[in-house]
Amino acid sequence: GESVGLHLPTLSVQEGDNSIINCAYSNSASDYFIWYKQESGKGPQFIIDIRSNMDKRQGQRVTVLLNKTVKHLSLQIAATQPGDSAVYFCAETGDKIIFGKGTRLHILP
Amino acid sequence: DAGVTQSPTHLIKTRGQQVTLRCSPKSGHDTVSWYQQALGQGPQFIFQYYEEEERQRGNFPDRFSGHQFPNYSSELNVNALLLGDSALYLCASSFQRVLGNTEAFFGQGTRLTVV
């Protein structure tokens, strides 16, 4: 069925450390994945995407890794800052977006 | 350039009532998708409108209906409201449906509370 899930609902990280948020997906035919950030009271905001023909993509302070063998995605945030506090969703897309449940990232001072 | 705008931002309705939510897509976008986000959950796809027609639909009952206007704006209607319809309703706009090729932009949502 259609489902994209996350391993951990909450992640607490020290400010300045790196954050790693994991995600499992179930549809092996999915070929395009997106990570979204959702701050309180706002809609999801695009962070980074990756296609199934890639295994790694880097943006500004963020890296997405894709392991198609085990159907796993991860989002790495370097030097985590207070502004990174949010809920992060992985999603698979084609003509619609299928979201997972989300991981809440807490930044510890 | 305005992004995706939704109205109203908050709404309280009574069980059994009907509600209409509105969305104006980002300039240059022609496709509008609606999502329901329950508290603590990821957004769930309701349906998508393109060229004034419903093109895709998620697993939602017929109480959920929509419309797209010639200017690409869209409405989401929910009839016979249930307590379980309480959620954040998100609108996303994109260009020509295919999200694999373009980015979808989300509005800030309408928080619907059914009492």
Side-chain angles (χ1 to χ4, degrees):
Chain A
E2 295 180 339
S3 70
V4 179
L6 295 176
H7 294 307
L8 296 173
T10 305
L11 178 66
S12 295
V13 175
Q14 205 75 34
E15 183 179 347
D17 287 352
N18 296 336
S19 302
I20 299 176
I21 302 172
N22 295 304
C23 171
Y25 63 94
S26 60
N27 185 358
S28 57
S30 294
D31 62 0
Y32 183 57
F33 303 88
I34 301 176
W35 279 98
Y36 285 94
K37 173 185 181 182
Q38 187 174 24
E39 296 174 284
S40 181
K42 297 185 178 180
Q45 179 185 4
F46 175 97
I47 301 173
I48 191 168
D49 59 358
I50 189 167
R51 293 194 178 276
S52 60
N53 61 353
M54 304 170 69
D55 53 20
K56 181 178 180 180
R57 189 154 191 237
Q58 287 184 295
Q60 187 177 12
R61 279 202 310 119
V62 294
T63 301
V64 56
L65 299 178
L66 174 62
N67 185 331
K68 295 181 288 295
T69 303
V70 295
K71 293 186 285 187
H72 182 269
L73 277 162
S74 69
L75 175 70
Q76 300 177 5
I77 304 173
T80 310
Q81 302 170 358
D84 295 327
S85 289
V87 177
Y88 290 82
F89 295 96
C90 67
E92 53 188 307
T93 77
D95 48 8
K96 61 180 182 286
I97 305 171
I98 302 170
F99 287 86
K101 288 187 177 180
T103 293
R104 181 172 298 280
L105 180 62
H106 285 292
I107 312 304
L108 303 171
Chain B
D1 173 30
V4 180
T5 58
Q6 292 187 243
S7 63
T9 55
H10 295 82
L11 201 54
I12 300 175
K13 288 286 189 178
T14 303
R15 227 175 353 173
Q17 284 188 315
Q18 179 264 346
V19 68
T20 297
L21 311 181
R22 295 176 176 82
C23 172
S24 292
K26 180 178 170 62
S27 177
H29 285 184
D30 58 7
T31 303
V32 173
S33 301
W34 286 92
Y35 294 80
Q36 180 195 66
Q37 186 176 22
L39 198 62
Q41 303 291 318
Q44 298 293 310
F45 176 76
I46 303 175
F47 43 51
Q48 179 187 76
Y49 277 84
Y50 173 69
E51 292 186 335
E52 301 181 48
E53 290 189 14
E54 183 181 296
R55 299 292 179 166
Q56 288 244 7
R57 190 177 182 93
N59 189 25
F60 280 81
D62 291 345
R63 297 187 298 108
F64 289 76
S65 63
H67 189 78
Q68 186 178 35
F69 299 93
N71 67 352
Y72 308 120
S73 67
S74 177
E75 288 181 348
L76 164 66
N77 302 294
V78 187
N79 294 323
L81 284 166
L82 303 174
L83 296 179
D85 295 330
S86 295
L88 180 68
Y89 288 85
L90 294 162
C91 168
S93 77
S94 57
F95 180 64
Q96 291 189 350
R97 300 185 60 196
V98 182
L99 297 173
N101 294 327
T102 78
E103 183 179 337
F105 289 82
F106 283 84
Q108 298 209 124
T110 294
R111 171 70 64 188
L112 172 65
T113 302
V114 182
V115 297

